[in-house]
Amino acid sequence: MASPARRDVEFKTFDGLTLRGWFYPAAGGLEKSPAIVIAHGWTLVKEMNLDLIAEKFQAAGFASLVFDNRNFGASDGLPRQEANPNHQSLDYHEAVTFLVNTPEVDASKIATWGYSLSGSYAIKAGAIDRRIKAVITVCPMLSTHKILQRMIPAPHRTAVEALLFAERAARMRGDEPAYGVVASEDPAKQAIFMIPGDVDWLLTMQKTKAPAWENRYTIHSRFDILSYHPTGFVEALCPTPWLLVQGNEDHSCPPDLSMEMFARALEPKELVMFKGGHFTPFAGKAFEDTMAAEIDFLKRKFILAP
């Protein structure tokens, strides 16, 4: 039997922006089903295989709300291409409210799912909002300051820090935002992603599925991420169950930092390690294996039939 068709949806943020995405009703015929909030990481848009994630959940009996973070993709927000975690993380609460008010959803069985930077949003929302009954993070960016420091070779850190405050001062003067490059193998560009496999994945996604994705980000995004500290929410998540899905070769959100945060979290928590890097879980065996683990986790937490 074919799964129900997804539909385009939108919802308002607390400060009045419109965020846009897709709602996937669950397959299986339940009058009301568990549901999952799903959003992408820093700079990415929903067309970059979040549809595949939602389709897997849908076939397993879960509804999903997939949306673009503010300032990215189809969602509103200025400046464009700016990651502001202190704002974007709060938008998860309005996404949950959207699901609570959706007739096909069982409001007592809502989970958050986050990848990379949005993994920290899923954790933070779960620690604050007890309407959320389970949290899944895939290659999450939890130690934000440490991760950004590792992205920048030590000899360049002083210059980058000076650039961030110069950009902040320029923005206060009313100047247009300055932009950096998201993906490039050219070391001179100091892109966020420079490993060939990561660069190839992003540029291939842009060509094949996500032409609206832009290979740029505002320089000020780095300042906003540096000043965002989700680590305390890891410790506050309990008693909401957490599943950490982590690549053992992830250079963007390194496993040692994820495991450091995992150790700080209280029970209930579960860990799935897969072989591969930051974008590996979006295709092939890693995709099938990690999705099977995520579905099993949610079925156990929401007491659904296997």
Side-chain angles (χ1 to χ4, degrees):
M1 188 172 95
S3 295
R6 79 184 187 199
R7 59 182 185 259
D8 294 338
V9 296
E10 60 183 43
F11 60 95
K12 291 289 187 181
T13 67
F14 192 75
D15 55 351
L17 296 179
T18 298
L19 304 188
R20 299 179 180 86
W22 304 314
F23 176 74
Y24 285 79
L30 286 177
E31 182 180 352
K32 289 183 177 289
S33 62
I36 310 160
V37 173
I38 299 175
H40 236 318
W42 183 9
T43 83
L44 275 62
V45 293
K46 63 186 183 299
E47 288 80 6
M48 295 169 122
N49 283 4
L50 290 190
D51 54 336
L52 304 184
I53 303 289
E55 287 167 5
K56 282 286 190 182
F57 283 132
Q58 181 183 51
F62 298 91
S64 296
L65 169 61
V66 181
F67 70 98
D68 285 322
N69 285 307
R70 64 168 67 206
N71 307 338
F72 292 90
S75 291
D76 290 349
L78 296 172
R80 300 306 294 172
Q81 304 305 114
E82 180 150 291
N84 187 322
N86 290 297
H87 292 163
Q88 291 172 338
S89 60
L90 295 178
D91 294 338
Y92 262 67
H93 300 293
E94 279 62 69
V96 170
T97 297
F98 175 91
L99 289 177
V100 167
N101 293 329
T102 299
E104 299 101 315
V105 169
D106 182 343
S108 70
K109 296 179 179 179
I110 292 176
T112 53
W113 184 101
Y115 164 75
S116 195
L117 183 56
S118 74
S120 72
Y121 304 167
I123 289 273
K124 181 180 177 184
I128 295 172
D129 193 337
R130 296 305 174 182
R131 296 176 300 174
I132 297 165
K133 304 303 181 184
V135 173
I136 297 173
T137 62
V138 180
C139 301
M141 189 175 187
L142 299 176
S143 301
T144 49
H145 189 274
K146 290 181 180 179
I147 288 171
L148 284 188
Q149 289 295 89
R150 288 192 187 184
M151 286 182 179
I152 305 166
H156 301 294
R157 287 176 190 164
T158 300
V160 170
E161 289 171 3
L163 174 64
L164 295 184
F165 284 97
E167 171 62 11
R168 192 167 172 84
R171 291 274 288 270
M172 287 295 294
R173 292 194 301 268
D175 293 357
E176 290 296 312
Y179 287 86
V181 175
V182 177
S184 174
E185 294 180 41
D186 182 355
K189 292 185 177 179
Q190 295 187 23
I192 299 170
F193 297 102
M194 294 187 287
I195 296 171
D198 292 350
V199 173
D200 289 345
W201 189 89
L202 288 163
L203 298 182
T204 298
M205 279 284 107
Q206 185 184 41
K207 290 177 182 177
T208 60
K209 291 189 68 176
W213 178 75
E214 299 183 39
N215 190 8
R216 63 175 190 150
Y217 71 99
T218 65
I219 296 296
H220 197 266
S221 296
R222 285 186 179 268
F223 179 89
D224 287 329
I225 295 172
L226 279 171
S227 61
Y228 169 70
H229 299 286
T231 54
F233 295 104
V234 169
E235 298 169 354
L237 183 60
C238 173
T240 303
W242 174 27
L243 174 64
L244 168 61
V245 179
Q246 178 64 48
N248 68 342
E249 299 171 355
D250 189 342
H251 296 285
S252 298
C253 294
D256 64 306
L257 296 181
S258 292
M259 293 308 300
E260 184 180 290
M261 291 298 100
F262 188 73
R264 294 172 65 167
L266 302 177
E267 299 287 350
K269 59 184 177 181
E270 299 180 27
L271 171 67
V272 170
M273 293 287 291
F274 65 87
K275 184 177 181 180
H278 200 56
F279 297 109
T280 303
F282 288 106
K285 185 176 186 300
F287 171 73
E288 298 296 335
D289 290 348
T290 56
M291 286 305 305
E294 292 167 32
I295 289 166
D296 174 68
F297 170 78
L298 290 178
K299 284 189 170 184
R300 287 185 285 109
K301 299 310 172 186
F302 291 148
I303 319 178
L304 294 187

